[in-house]
Amino acid sequence: MPLHARSEVSTNINDDVYASTDLSVVMPKYKMAIYEHSAAHAYQVVHDELMLDGNARMNLATFCQTWSEPEVHKLMDECLDKNMIDKDEYPQTAELEARCVQMLADLWHAPEAADTMGCSTTGSSEAAMLGGLALKWNWRKNRLAQKKSDAKPNLVCGPVQICWHKFARYFDVELRQIPLEPGQIGMTAKQIAQYCDENTIGVVPTLGVTFTLQYEPVEQINRALDEIQKKTGLDIPIHVDAASGGFIAPFLHEDVKWDFQLPRVKSINASGHKFGLTPLGCGWCVWREKSDLPEELIFNVDYLGGNMPTFALNFSRPGGQTAIQYYNFLRLGREGYRKIHQACAETAKFLAEEIRKIGAFDIVYDGIGGIPGVCWTLKKNGHPGNFTLYDIADRLRVRGWQVPAYPLPKNREDIIVQRVLIRHGVSRDLAKILVDDIKASVGFFKGHPITTPLNEKEGTSYHH
Ligand SMILES: *Cc1c(COP(=O)(O)O)cnc(C)c1O
């Protein structure tokens, strides 16, 4: 019986459990068992089921951390029962969270880092909701102060990650996504003016665009908004989606101005579980100054007999990720983060050169100046075998690699790209094996030409 053929099985399907000592134990699959089973047997069943998942280390689609050192596993275990929301019961976890916020505010050049507001979240998505909500609240306050009537707010951005589409829909904000200009893979500063008006709650540039890994030009966008203010009087803030870049740029690209050094940048989100190197479930949102986070959004919870301000969508939430963010800051320091990300960037550069040498691909992004990774397209000519990037993705999957192919966003959706992320744990060795597998795939199609290539509808269009 195939594992997941739910529609074909009776409601009462039972599976053999080979690990059971008497070989006679059966466990129901789609209904809760009536009686208990031994922990060892239940474990074996779940373990086996999970075996069919992809190998996370070979999932080159994800930005998220897939390798952790033993001490991280140990701390996660020790924190299993700590609830982030119980500031009173777990005051030290709360303290570590506050210290991380301060460290991040300092890393991102907040004017009064020790005094600013920020919080941990489950990831950048929740952090983006919080950042977006603060923008919306501040916009509305200004409108009320000017005695202006209600209007639909809008948010201006480039090719954003899906969380901003969610934010816009869940919180009733119009998302004005600027289409890509020919030759561009992010929004440009000169496009902005025509999309902003008095109902623009903010502009959201991405530091590390999901599709192609480059940084959008936050400094130029800041300047363009200065121009807009000069001409129209509109004072439009910036929230930077630095999901990946927030933990890369401070270490690898110190010359890039993208953070609180720019006066319009009022808030920043980043994913601890991406290049912050924590296990899954950790994000951050930090505001420039206390006054940038509207008081109405803050709830106070009891904390050591006192009061602790909180701003979050969740109530109960695991505390381990926050403890590990703090551990990483102690363990690695700026130099440790720099070394790890530098090694990843160099592996990405190596990979880009090797992929270019194969001759069938054009490199769109070579790992330099943005997030460690590579992005490429298929050359128009020069690939006998009639394959698409979807076919290559499919072929690589045979070896266990997950390397997504997908179209670029609006106005350049005719361009299909393929992308890999190089994270801590994706070594030069693994990159070399991947190159050999890509070469072998191209060679395979040369010998076995495709008559009906996979297209984006049937291909693997997963990416994060
Ligand atoms: C990953 C990502 C997100 C979503 O972050 P999660 O931590 O997965 O919730 C948002 N924006 C960008 C640019 C991202 O790369």
Side-chain angles (χ1 to χ4, degrees):
M1 181 65 62
L3 260 173
H4 296 288
R6 192 181 303 231
S7 58
E8 292 158 34
V9 297
S10 77
T11 53
N12 199 20
I13 175 114
N14 290 318
D15 249 6
D16 284 339
V17 181
Y18 72 79
S20 61
T21 43
D22 52 9
L23 292 177
S24 68
V25 173
V26 288
M27 289 190 197
K29 206 175 213 170
Y30 298 120
K31 279 188 177 177
M32 196 186 285
I34 293 173
Y35 300 108
E36 69 273 28
H37 289 280
S38 89
H41 295 171
Y43 172 82
Q44 192 61 53
V45 168
V46 178
H47 177 88
D48 282 5
E49 191 100 21
L50 291 174
M51 186 173 70
L52 291 161
D53 274 343
N55 178 341
R57 295 279 301 280
M58 296 175 87
N59 174 8
L60 302 184
T62 186
F63 293 72
C64 294
Q65 204 42 49
T66 50
W67 184 85
S68 300
E69 51 195 8
E71 287 75 9
V72 168
H73 288 267
K74 214 159 135 191
L75 276 174
M76 277 304 270
D77 200 26
E78 288 166 24
C79 291
L80 203 66
D81 51 3
K82 289 185 196 285
N83 190 342
M84 210 56 236
I85 198 70
D86 290 335
K87 314 281 182 192
D88 206 18
E89 283 81 354
Y90 312 112
Q92 284 326 110
T93 305
E95 169 66 18
L96 296 188
E97 179 189 30
R99 287 185 209 163
C100 285
V101 168
Q102 278 190 20
M103 286 187 189
L104 286 172
D106 178 57
L107 190 68
W108 298 335
H109 301 100
E112 311 268 348
D115 204 35
T116 191
M117 299 292 280
C119 56
S120 68
T121 60
T122 48
S124 273
S125 303
E126 186 189 359
M129 304 293 152
L130 303 181
L133 278 170
L135 290 178
K136 186 176 171 184
W137 243 254
N138 284 334
W139 164 82
R140 191 156 54 198
K141 260 195 199 166
N142 285 337
R143 270 188 86 81
L144 284 176
Q146 294 167 39
K147 302 216 164 17
K148 289 198 167 145
S149 61
D150 221 11
K152 175 132 177 166
N154 66 72
L155 186 75
V156 173
C157 60
V160 277
Q161 208 263 358
I162 187 127
C163 69
W164 292 101
H165 294 266
K166 282 191 177 176
F167 164 74
R169 199 174 303 167
Y170 295 171
F171 297 104
D172 205 19
V173 171
E174 178 196 346
L175 195 71
R176 293 193 178 161
Q177 192 173 343
I178 304 177
L180 293 176
E181 284 186 341
Q184 295 294 335
I185 43 180
M187 69 170 145
T188 60
K190 64 180 189 318
Q191 284 178 295
I192 296 215
Q194 70 184 103
Y195 292 90
C196 290
D197 58 30
E198 62 170 9
N199 298 319
T200 302
I201 63 173
V203 175
V204 176
T206 304
L207 207 69
V209 174
T210 316
F211 303 90
T212 48
L213 309 177
Q214 282 111 327
Y215 298 159
E216 285 185 315
V218 190
E219 190 176 12
Q220 281 107 298
I221 290 164
N222 187 85
R223 214 176 302 134
L225 288 169
D226 286 346
E227 286 303 311
I228 290 172
Q229 184 165 17
K230 249 185 242 158
K231 280 191 198 133
T232 65
L234 297 172
D235 184 5
I236 299 172
I238 295 175
H239 170 98
V240 183
D241 181 352
S244 297
F247 282 102
I248 299 275
F251 311 115
L252 295 190
H253 312 116
E254 279 178 276
D255 51 328
V256 177
K257 281 214 174 70
W258 65 276
D259 59 13
F260 297 124
Q261 289 175 82
L262 303 171
R264 283 185 192 276
V265 175
K266 303 297 185 197
S267 48
I268 295 171
N269 71 267
S271 296
H273 56 216
K274 291 183 177 174
F275 292 85
L277 305 177
T278 78
L280 280 168
C282 182
W284 299 94
C285 195
V286 177
W287 283 267
R288 176 190 195 78
E289 290 173 82
K290 244 186 193 141
S291 56
D292 293 311
L293 176 57
E295 276 169 25
E296 297 84 347
L297 294 175
I298 298 171
F299 287 79
N300 289 301
V301 297
D302 287 337
Y303 174 58
L304 278 182
N307 241 293
M308 177 97 172
T310 72
F311 181 25
L313 298 182
N314 295 78
F315 189 71
S316 295
R317 188 154 63 75
Q321 288 83 344
T322 301
I324 285 163
Q325 187 73 78
Y326 186 70
Y327 163 82
N328 279 337
F329 288 163
L330 288 186
R331 157 90 173 92
L332 297 171
R334 289 180 185 233
E335 195 50 23
Y337 270 103
R338 193 193 60 74
K339 279 183 190 157
I340 287 171
H341 296 337
Q342 187 67 43
C344 290
E346 274 161 26
T347 298
K349 190 165 153 257
F350 161 80
L351 191 61
E353 278 162 13
E354 293 298 312
I355 290 173
R356 190 184 281 124
K357 278 190 219 157
I358 295 174
F361 310 104
D362 284 323
I363 303 297
V364 176
Y365 171 67
D366 61 2
I368 300 168
I371 308 306
V374 188
C375 181
W376 65 89
T377 58
L378 197 58
K379 267 196 201 311
K380 287 247 153 47
N381 305 305
H383 53 279
N386 195 32
F387 59 88
T388 65
L389 290 179
Y390 297 102
D391 293 305
I392 294 283
D394 207 42
R395 193 73 205 149
L396 288 174
R397 195 70 187 250
V398 172
R399 279 279 280 166
W401 300 110
Q402 298 178 61
V403 180
Y406 51 87
L408 287 183
K410 207 160 138 201
N411 283 11
R412 297 194 76 196
E413 56 274 77
D414 52 318
I415 299 175
I416 309 297
V417 297
Q418 200 161 22
R419 186 202 67 194
V420 299
L421 267 301
I422 305 295
R423 306 177 300 269
H424 194 22
V426 182
S427 63
R428 183 70 63 103
D429 236 18
L430 284 179
K432 181 75 181 68
I433 296 169
L434 174 67
V435 169
D436 290 344
D437 287 339
I438 295 175
K439 275 186 203 159
S441 304
V442 171
F444 174 85
F445 292 123
K446 216 182 271 178
H448 306 80
I450 293 220
T451 46
T452 48
L454 283 175
N455 64 35
E456 68 199 75
K457 299 250 155 45
E458 35 191 344
T460 46
S461 61
Y462 55 91
H463 66 106
H464 314 260

